[in-house]
Amino acid sequence: TDTYLQIPELKNILLVYTGSHGEAGIWTDRDFLPMLAYVDKSYSIEGKMFDTMLFLPYPDLACTGAEWDAYAADLFAPGAQLPALENTMARLNKIPDYQGKVNVILTMPYPDGQQAHFGALEGGGRPLCFDEKKAGRIKAAGDRLLAVRWFYDNLMDRWEQAGFKYLNLAGIYWYKESMDPATSSDIELVQDVARLVRNDGLKFFWIPFFGAHGYDVWRTYGFNHAFLQPNYYAVN
C-alpha cells in the first residue's frame, strides 16, 4: 500500500546537526524556513516540506557530563536551534494553508563504555565511570544509566520550561548506530532507556547502519521505529 513502511505522523524527517562546527551547527529562522516550506523563486510559500526535525549532535560530542549539558543548553539557545524553529513555525502559522505544529525528535547521546571519567552529575558528587575494567560491570552499568537518566531529565525540564507552542515532542533518538558486543550492559541500558521514554508517551527511534550489530532484532531493544541506513556515514 501507499503507507507501507511509513509512519503516518512522521512522513519526512530532517537530521538537524547542532552543537559544534561553528555556523554549520547553528540553525536560525532563515535556515529552517526552506526546510519547512517550499519557497518558489518569487519567495512565495507554495507548500510544505519536512514535517519532523531530528536534532542530533555532531560525532565530536565528547562523552562527559559537561559536554552533554552544554549540548542540551545549546538546543535551547535564544534565537537558534529549537527557539528558532518555534519562531519560524509561528510565522508559518499565520498562513491559512500552513497551520499546526512540527514534530521534534531529540537525541540521547551514547554513554561510551570506554569512558572512565564522565564527571559528576552535581557539585561535590561522585564522578561516574563507564569502564567495566576499572569500575566493574555492575557499577559501570549503573553509572551509565545514571548518566542517561540525568541527561533525559535535563532535556525534559528544559523542554517544559521553554513552553513551545508550535513544536510537538514526538520522541527520542538513540545516537549509537550499533550495539557494542564488547560492552556487556549495552542491551540492558537501551531497554531501560526505552522504558523511560515510552513511559512518558514518547516514541523511541534508532537508525542503525547496514550490517550494524543487532540491527535485525531492533524490536527486542524497545525501539518503536528503526530506519536502516544503506551504508555507513559519518560527518567530519
Side-chain angles (χ1 to χ4, degrees):
T1 65
D2 292 339
T3 58
Y4 179 65
L5 293 182
Q6 291 185 3
I7 309 172
E9 66 275 22
L10 306 172
K11 296 180 180 179
N12 298 290
I13 302 175
L14 177 69
L15 303 186
V16 181
Y17 287 90
T18 67
S20 62
H21 288 241
E23 292 185 1
I26 300 174
W27 286 69
T28 66
D29 301 29
R30 180 177 296 181
D31 298 316
F32 279 120
L33 182 58
M35 301 295 104
L36 294 165
Y38 173 69
V39 183
D40 65 17
K41 293 181 179 179
S42 62
Y43 299 100
S44 296
I45 294 176
E46 298 295 336
K48 297 182 179 181
M49 293 288 283
F50 292 95
D51 59 22
T52 305
M53 301 288 162
L54 194 170
F55 286 81
L56 69 169
Y58 284 94
D60 61 359
L61 177 68
C63 182
T64 66
E67 288 295 310
W68 284 18
D69 187 54
Y71 169 70
D74 182 74
L75 285 173
F76 297 86
Q81 327 305 33
L82 290 167
L85 180 60
E86 169 79 355
N87 293 338
T88 307
M89 284 301 299
R91 290 172 54 196
L92 289 173
N93 265 263
K94 296 178 181 179
I95 301 173
D97 294 333
Y98 207 119
Q99 302 294 309
K101 299 182 178 183
V102 63
N103 296 309
V104 169
I105 300 172
L106 300 178
T107 292
M108 177 66 70
Y110 179 66
D112 192 338
Q114 304 302 311
Q115 175 58 282
H117 306 287
F118 182 78
L121 302 184
E122 56 186 22
R126 174 181 63 84
L128 302 187
C129 175
F130 304 157
D131 189 336
E132 294 182 0
K133 294 179 180 179
K134 294 184 177 180
R137 183 185 186 282
I138 295 177
K139 185 176 181 298
D143 280 3
R144 296 176 83 205
L145 181 58
L146 282 175
V148 296
R149 287 188 65 95
W150 165 78
F151 181 82
Y152 178 78
D153 289 343
N154 185 1
L155 273 187
M156 295 303 102
D157 288 345
R158 291 178 185 275
W159 183 272
E160 290 298 323
Q161 292 172 14
F164 295 125
K165 184 178 179 181
Y166 299 104
L167 309 187
N168 172 56
L169 183 57
I172 299 295
Y173 167 61
W174 182 251
Y175 188 74
K176 182 72 170 180
E177 296 180 358
S178 176
M179 294 298 155
D180 185 1
T183 305
S184 59
S185 60
D186 247 24
I187 294 176
E188 293 89 347
L189 175 66
V190 174
Q191 290 171 334
D192 285 336
V193 175
R195 283 188 286 270
L196 183 67
V197 171
R198 297 175 72 157
N199 284 343
D200 278 346
L202 301 173
K203 291 182 172 62
F204 197 30
F205 300 88
W206 191 36
I207 310 179
F209 58 85
F210 184 80
H213 185 80
Y215 81 93
D216 52 337
V217 290
W218 60 271
R219 286 186 177 89
T220 67
Y221 305 138
F223 294 111
N224 294 94
H225 303 287
F227 309 91
L228 183 64
Q229 299 178 47
N231 50 26
Y232 183 86
Y233 173 73
V235 177
N236 294 317

